[in-house]
Amino acid sequence: MASSPSSARTDLGLLFVRLAFGLQMALLHGWGKLQSYLGGAASFADPLGIGWKYSMWGTIAGEFVCGVLLALGLFSRVAGFGMAFTMAVAGFMIHGNAPWGKRELAVCYLAVGLLVLFTGAGRFSLDAVVLPRLRAKFGRGGASAPARARPARA
């Protein structure tokens, strides 16, 4: 099935959004935290009460790993969720009492994460290449998923 020009424009728009926000998230936010951790950081904010190391690992995953995945368009919905969750914690827990200007960037990244979570990465992504092959190999529900019978219509 051929795609419409508006569909192609939408996919191109998603590509630009993923590249801009994914690379900025990874390089301007996550990379510094990764370097800090590898350099022997001794503390980090722990808003979820899981311990500073786990909070830092989660933040590095949400910012650096998910940012790179988002830019590549690989496992984009998972990356969008990870980035959105991390930014929700940053915007509403870490900076919850701060003025809006301090929370604005986190909320913008949260919105982009949700956008990709709900729309997917679009045609110009690695998901468009990888996911159809995985579905063909393992089926939509995975290799071990039982087949479901359709209910009879009355």
Side-chain angles (χ1 to χ4, degrees):
M1 179 172 133
S3 65
S4 69
S6 65
S7 171
R9 286 191 299 267
T10 300
D11 289 330
L12 192 60
L14 283 169
L15 171 66
F16 290 141
V17 167
R18 285 189 301 100
L19 285 172
F21 281 86
L23 290 174
Q24 287 185 91
M25 175 59 79
L27 299 175
L28 300 179
H29 301 282
W31 179 251
K33 289 176 182 73
L34 177 61
Q35 293 302 306
S36 178
Y37 180 77
L38 295 175
S43 67
F44 191 75
D46 184 22
L48 301 177
I50 58 174
W52 74 266
K53 275 191 176 181
Y54 295 117
S55 289
M56 192 169 201
W57 291 349
T59 303
I60 291 167
E63 291 182 358
F64 183 73
V65 176
C66 291
V68 169
L69 290 174
L70 205 67
L72 293 172
L74 183 62
F75 306 115
S76 299
R77 291 179 192 265
V78 173
F81 174 80
M83 189 167 89
F85 180 82
T86 303
M87 291 299 100
V89 171
F92 298 109
M93 293 180 82
I94 298 292
H95 303 295
N97 293 326
W100 179 253
K102 183 75 174 167
R103 299 184 304 164
E104 175 187 9
L105 187 59
V107 174
C108 287
Y109 281 113
L110 166 63
V112 170
L114 292 174
L115 170 77
V116 176
L117 173 64
F118 292 126
T119 64
R123 182 175 18 157
F124 305 118
S125 67
L126 289 178
D127 280 349
V129 175
V130 172
L131 293 181
R133 291 180 182 175
L134 289 175
R135 286 187 183 119
K137 184 172 183 175
F138 297 110
R140 192 172 262 297
S144 62
R148 296 183 199 169
R150 287 186 159 186
R153 290 193 168 191

